[in-house]
Amino acid sequence: MALEDALVLSRLLPLCDGPSDIQQAFKAYDAVRVPRTQAVIRESRQQGQVLDMRGEGVGADLDLLRKALDTKVRWIWGVDLEEHCREAVRGFWKGGRGEGRSEEHTS
């Protein structure tokens, strides 16, 4: 998660010209990153239950355990980080920052 966060911030912070831009960059960052990080936390708790063989509908059944571990976490690994970056940059510009500059500044 830290590397993902760093990537998104690396796309936002160069757009900043001053303190208000930095605040807007972190608002755009939060809008993109917080939902994902909260979902990963929830999934981690559930996976902890499964690995302790206390997962709902899994218990100590090793075949169900394997399926639960294999399929439930693929969305975590398959995230499109470039899309997260684009979404964050769009949020930055939509927030009214960078007046007088074009979005082409983001490349």
Side-chain angles (χ1 to χ4, degrees):
M1 300 301 302
L3 293 175
E4 294 177 11
D5 292 342
L7 177 64
V8 174
L9 288 171
S10 76
R11 302 293 172 81
L12 289 170
L13 293 178
L15 304 176
C16 299
D17 284 335
S20 63
D21 283 352
I22 292 171
Q23 288 178 338
Q24 184 59 33
F26 278 101
K27 286 179 185 177
Y29 162 85
D30 283 348
V32 172
R33 297 297 300 157
V34 168
R36 174 171 167 73
T37 57
Q38 289 177 342
V40 169
I41 290 167
R42 280 190 304 274
E43 186 62 37
S44 295
R45 285 186 189 132
Q46 291 172 357
Q47 289 300 311
Q49 294 290 318
V50 169
L51 288 170
D52 284 342
M53 298 191 173
R54 293 182 289 143
E56 189 174 319
V58 176
D61 185 320
L62 295 181
D63 287 330
L64 291 176
L65 175 67
R66 181 180 43 74
K67 286 180 188 176
L69 294 174
D70 186 45
T71 59
K72 292 278 290 177
V73 296
R74 294 218 180 264
W75 65 271
I76 294 173
W77 303 322
V79 66
D80 183 349
L81 291 175
E82 287 300 324
E83 180 54 31
H84 273 221
C85 291
R86 287 188 294 271
E87 185 179 339
V89 168
R90 284 191 300 268
F92 176 84
W93 291 111
K94 188 176 182 180
R97 293 295 163 238
E99 292 92 358
R101 296 183 305 176
S102 72
E103 290 189 35
E104 293 170 11
H105 180 70
T106 64
S107 348

